[in-house]
Coordinates of all heavy atoms in Angstrom, one line a residue:
T25 N -13.9 20.5 134.7 CA -14.6 19.9 133.7 C -16.1 19.8 134.1 O -16.4 20.0 135.3 CB -14.1 18.4 133.5 OG1 -14.3 17.7 134.7 CG2 -12.7 18.4 133.1
G26 N -17.0 19.6 133.2 CA -18.4 19.5 133.5 C -18.7 18.4 134.5 O -19.7 18.4 135.2
A27 N -17.8 17.4 134.5 CA -18.1 16.2 135.4 C -17.8 16.5 136.8 O -18.5 16.0 137.7 CB -17.3 15.0 134.9
F28 N -16.7 17.3 137.1 CA -16.3 17.5 138.5 C -16.3 19.0 138.7 O -15.7 19.8 138.0 CB -14.9 17.0 138.7 CG -14.8 15.5 138.5 CD1 -14.3 15.0 137.4 CD2 -15.2 14.7 139.5 CE1 -14.2 13.7 137.2 CE2 -15.1 13.3 139.3 CZ -14.6 12.8 138.2
N29 N -17.1 19.5 139.7 CA -17.2 20.9 139.9 C -16.1 21.3 140.9 O -16.3 21.8 142.0 CB -18.6 21.2 140.5 CG -18.9 22.7 140.4 OD1 -18.2 23.4 139.7 ND2 -19.9 23.2 141.1
K30 N -14.8 21.1 140.4 CA -13.7 21.4 141.3 C -12.6 22.0 140.4 O -12.3 21.4 139.4 CB -13.3 20.1 142.0 CG -11.9 20.0 142.5 CD -11.7 18.6 143.1 CE -10.2 18.3 143.4 NZ -9.4 18.3 142.2
W31 N -12.0 23.1 140.9 CA -10.9 23.7 140.1 C -9.6 23.0 140.3 O -9.2 22.7 141.4 CB -10.8 25.2 140.5 CG -12.0 26.0 140.2 CD1 -13.0 26.5 141.0 CD2 -12.3 26.5 138.9 NE1 -13.9 27.2 140.3 CE2 -13.5 27.2 138.9 CE3 -11.6 26.4 137.6 CZ2 -14.1 27.9 137.9 CZ3 -12.2 27.0 136.5 CH2 -13.4 27.7 136.6
D32 N -8.9 22.8 139.2 CA -7.6 22.1 139.2 C -6.6 23.0 138.6 O -6.9 23.8 137.7 CB -7.6 20.8 138.5 CG -8.3 19.7 139.3 OD1 -7.8 19.5 140.5 OD2 -9.2 19.1 138.8
E33 N -5.3 22.8 139.0 CA -4.3 23.6 138.3 C -3.9 23.0 137.0 O -4.1 21.8 136.7 CB -3.0 23.6 139.2 CG -3.2 24.4 140.5 CD -1.8 24.8 141.1 OE1 -0.8 24.2 140.7 OE2 -1.8 25.7 142.0
M34 N -3.5 23.9 136.1 CA -3.0 23.5 134.8 C -1.5 23.7 134.8 O -0.9 24.0 135.8 CB -3.7 24.3 133.7 CG -4.8 23.5 133.1 SD -5.9 24.4 132.0 CE -4.9 25.2 130.9
N35 N -0.9 23.6 133.5 CA 0.5 23.8 133.4 C 0.8 25.3 133.3 O 1.8 25.7 132.7 CB 1.0 23.1 132.2 CG 0.2 23.4 131.0 OD1 -0.8 24.1 131.1 ND2 0.6 22.8 129.8
C36 N 0.0 26.1 133.8 CA 0.2 27.6 133.7 C -0.1 28.2 135.1 O -1.2 28.8 135.3 CB -0.8 28.2 132.7 SG -0.5 27.5 131.0
T37 N 0.9 28.1 135.9 CA 0.8 28.7 137.3 C 1.9 29.8 137.4 O 3.1 29.5 137.1 CB 1.0 27.6 138.4 OG1 -0.1 26.7 138.2 CG2 0.9 28.2 139.7
R38 N 1.5 31.0 137.7 CA 2.5 32.1 137.9 C 3.4 32.2 136.6 O 4.6 32.2 136.7 CB 3.3 31.9 139.1 CG 2.5 31.9 140.4 CD 3.3 31.7 141.7 NE 4.1 32.9 141.9 CZ 3.6 34.1 142.5 NH1 2.4 34.2 142.8 NH2 4.4 35.1 142.7
I39 N 2.7 32.4 135.5 CA 3.4 32.5 134.2 C 3.4 34.0 133.9 O 2.6 34.8 134.3 CB 2.8 31.7 133.1 CG1 1.3 32.2 132.9 CG2 2.9 30.2 133.3 CD1 0.6 31.6 131.6
T40 N 4.4 34.4 133.0 CA 4.5 35.8 132.6 C 3.7 36.2 131.4 O 3.3 37.3 131.2 CB 6.0 36.2 132.4 OG1 6.5 35.3 131.5 CG2 6.7 36.2 133.7
H41 N 3.5 35.2 130.5 CA 2.9 35.5 129.2 C 1.4 35.4 129.3 O 0.9 34.9 130.3 CB 3.4 34.7 128.0 CG 3.7 33.3 128.4 ND1 4.8 32.8 129.0 CD2 2.9 32.2 128.2 CE1 4.8 31.5 129.2 NE2 3.6 31.1 128.7
T42 N 0.7 35.9 128.3 CA -0.8 36.1 128.4 C -1.5 35.0 127.6 O -2.5 35.3 126.9 CB -1.2 37.5 128.0 OG1 -0.7 37.7 126.6 CG2 -0.6 38.5 128.9
E43 N -0.9 33.8 127.5 CA -1.7 32.7 126.9 C -1.2 31.4 127.5 O -0.1 31.3 128.1 CB -1.5 32.7 125.4 CG -0.2 32.4 124.9 CD -0.2 32.2 123.4 OE1 -0.7 33.1 122.7 OE2 0.2 31.1 122.9
C44 N -2.1 30.4 127.4 CA -1.9 29.1 128.0 C -2.5 28.1 127.1 O -3.7 28.1 126.9 CB -2.6 29.1 129.4 SG -2.5 27.5 130.2
S45 N -1.7 27.1 126.7 CA -2.2 26.1 125.8 C -2.9 25.0 126.7 O -2.3 24.6 127.7 CB -1.1 25.4 125.0 OG -0.6 26.3 124.1
L46 N -4.0 24.5 126.2 CA -4.6 23.4 127.0 C -3.8 22.1 126.8 O -3.4 21.8 125.7 CB -6.0 23.1 126.4 CG -7.2 23.9 127.0 CD1 -7.0 25.4 126.8 CD2 -8.5 23.5 126.5
P47 N -3.5 21.5 127.9 CA -2.6 20.3 127.9 C -3.3 19.1 127.3 O -4.6 19.1 127.1 CB -2.3 20.0 129.4 CG -3.5 20.5 130.1 CD -4.0 21.7 129.3
W48 N -2.6 18.1 126.9 CA -3.1 16.9 126.2 C -4.1 16.2 127.1 O -5.0 15.5 126.7 CB -2.0 16.0 125.7 CG -1.5 16.5 124.4 CD1 -0.2 17.0 124.2 CD2 -2.2 16.6 123.2 NE1 -0.1 17.5 122.9 CE2 -1.3 17.2 122.2 CE3 -3.5 16.3 122.8 CZ2 -1.6 17.5 120.9 CZ3 -3.8 16.5 121.4 CH2 -2.9 17.1 120.5
S49 N -3.9 16.3 128.4 CA -4.8 15.6 129.4 C -6.2 16.1 129.2 O -7.1 15.4 129.7 CB -4.3 15.8 130.8 OG -4.2 17.2 131.1
L50 N -6.4 17.3 128.6 CA -7.7 17.8 128.5 C -8.2 17.8 127.0 O -9.0 18.5 126.6 CB -7.8 19.3 128.9 CG -7.4 19.5 130.4 CD1 -7.5 21.0 130.7 CD2 -8.4 18.7 131.3
K51 N -7.6 16.8 126.3 CA -7.9 16.8 124.8 C -9.2 16.0 124.5 O -9.6 16.0 123.3 CB -6.8 16.2 124.0 CG -6.6 14.7 124.1 CD -5.4 14.3 123.2 CE -5.3 12.8 123.0 NZ -5.9 11.9 123.9
E52 N -9.9 15.5 125.5 CA -11.2 14.9 125.2 C -12.1 15.9 124.5 O -12.4 16.9 125.0 CB -11.9 14.4 126.5 CG -11.8 13.0 126.9 CD -12.0 12.0 125.7 OE1 -12.9 12.2 124.9 OE2 -11.3 11.0 125.7
R53 N -12.5 15.5 123.2 CA -13.2 16.5 122.4 C -14.7 16.7 122.9 O -15.3 17.7 122.5 CB -13.2 16.1 121.0 CG -11.7 16.1 120.4 CD -11.6 15.6 119.0 NE -10.3 15.6 118.6 CZ -9.9 15.2 117.4 NH1 -10.7 14.6 116.6 NH2 -8.6 15.3 117.1
R54 N -15.2 15.8 123.7 CA -16.6 16.0 124.1 C -16.7 16.6 125.5 O -17.8 16.9 125.9 CB -17.3 14.6 124.1 CG -17.4 14.1 122.8 CD -18.5 13.2 122.5 NE -18.5 12.9 121.1 CZ -18.9 11.8 120.5 NH1 -19.4 10.9 121.2 NH2 -18.8 11.7 119.2
W55 N -15.6 16.7 126.2 CA -15.7 17.3 127.6 C -16.1 18.7 127.5 O -15.7 19.5 126.7 CB -14.3 17.2 128.2 CG -14.0 15.9 128.7 CD1 -14.7 14.7 128.6 CD2 -12.8 15.5 129.5 NE1 -14.0 13.7 129.1 CE2 -12.8 14.1 129.7 CE3 -11.7 16.2 129.9 CZ2 -11.8 13.5 130.4 CZ3 -10.7 15.6 130.6 CH2 -10.8 14.2 130.8
T56 N -16.9 19.1 128.5 CA -17.2 20.5 128.8 C -16.1 21.1 129.7 O -15.9 20.5 130.8 CB -18.6 20.7 129.4 OG1 -19.5 20.2 128.5 CG2 -18.9 22.2 129.6
L57 N -15.4 22.1 129.3 CA -14.4 22.7 130.1 C -14.7 24.1 130.5 O -15.3 24.8 129.6 CB -13.0 22.7 129.4 CG -12.3 21.4 129.1 CD1 -11.1 21.7 128.3 CD2 -12.0 20.7 130.4
V58 N -14.4 24.6 131.7 CA -14.4 26.0 132.0 C -13.0 26.3 132.5 O -12.4 25.6 133.3 CB -15.5 26.3 133.1 CG1 -15.4 27.8 133.4 CG2 -16.8 25.9 132.6
L59 N -12.4 27.4 132.0 CA -11.1 27.9 132.5 C -11.3 29.2 133.2 O -12.3 29.9 133.0 CB -10.1 28.1 131.3 CG -9.9 26.9 130.3 CD1 -8.8 27.3 129.3 CD2 -9.5 25.7 131.1
R60 N -10.3 29.5 134.1 CA -10.3 30.8 134.7 C -8.9 31.2 134.9 O -8.0 30.4 135.0 CB -11.0 30.7 136.1 CG -10.3 29.9 137.2 CD -11.1 29.9 138.5 NE -10.3 29.2 139.5 CZ -10.7 29.2 140.8 NH1 -11.9 29.7 141.2 NH2 -9.9 28.5 141.7
V61 N -8.7 32.6 134.9 CA -7.4 33.1 135.0 C -7.4 34.3 136.0 O -8.5 35.0 136.1 CB -6.8 33.6 133.6 CG1 -7.7 34.6 133.0 CG2 -5.4 34.1 133.7
R62 N -6.3 34.5 136.7 CA -6.3 35.7 137.6 C -4.8 36.3 137.4 O -3.9 35.6 137.0 CB -6.6 35.4 139.0 CG -5.5 34.6 139.7 CD -5.9 34.4 141.2 NE -4.8 33.7 141.9 CZ -4.9 33.2 143.1 NH1 -6.1 33.3 143.8 NH2 -3.9 32.6 143.7

């Protein structure tokens, strides 16, 4: 998030499909989010 410059795991670790829904814990509509995938 924009508030903490630290990467956290989401509910998508070692998944086979090519999409990941943002969890409700990240539903704050004003937050700045950056996601990354590998």
Side-chain angles (χ1 to χ4, degrees):
T25 62
F28 299 100
N29 197 14
K30 160 179 165 300
W31 291 104
D32 281 308
E33 289 198 346
M34 258 169 52
N35 48 356
C36 299
T37 299
R38 300 182 67 79
I39 59 172
T40 53
H41 40 277
T42 56
E43 67 171 57
C44 173
S45 294
L46 271 63
W48 280 111
S49 57
L50 298 181
K51 76 179 191 337
E52 258 318 316
R53 294 174 180 177
R54 291 204 177 154
W55 283 4
T56 300
L57 295 176
V58 178
L59 304 186
R60 67 178 186 178
V61 60
R62 74 177 181 189

